[in-house]
């Protein structure tokens, strides 16, 4: 039982040491590698024209009216 306790303690100490070293490396590298984020937004331009009014179809015998909204916009 004592051997397992010593083994687990050593493994925990190794993991803590590795995480500390990794954290120091990241802390040292990150400010130099990432000076600041810049974002450029370019609005999209459309070269096609979209119909502004819906299409209406009326059928007289059944008095049915169908309205189709513009598509592709």
């Amino acid at each position: 039982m004592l051997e397992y306790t010593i083994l687990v303690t050593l493994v925990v100490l190794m993991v803590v040491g590795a995480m500390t070293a990794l954290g120091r490396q990241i802390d040292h590298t990150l400010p130099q590698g990432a000076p600041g984020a810049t974002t450029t937004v370019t609005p999209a331009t459309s070269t096609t024209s979209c119909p502004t009014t819906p299409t209406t179809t009326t059928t007289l015998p059944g008095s049915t009216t169908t309205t189709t909204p513009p598509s592709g916009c």
Side-chain angles (χ1 to χ4, degrees):
M1 182 70 133
L2 181 62
E3 293 87 10
Y4 289 117
T5 305
I6 292 172
L7 183 65
V8 169
T9 303
L10 289 175
V11 169
V12 168
L13 287 174
M14 289 176 59
V15 169
V16 169
M19 295 298 286
T20 302
L22 182 64
R24 287 182 183 159
Q25 182 68 27
I26 290 173
D27 188 38
H28 179 69
T29 304
L30 189 59
Q32 295 172 1
T38 58
T39 304
T40 305
V41 177
T42 305
T45 57
S46 177
T47 57
T48 60
S49 62
C50 295
T52 57
T53 58
T55 305
T56 303
T57 306
T58 304
T59 307
L60 292 177
S63 192
T64 303
T65 302
T66 305
T67 304
T68 307
S71 62
C73 295

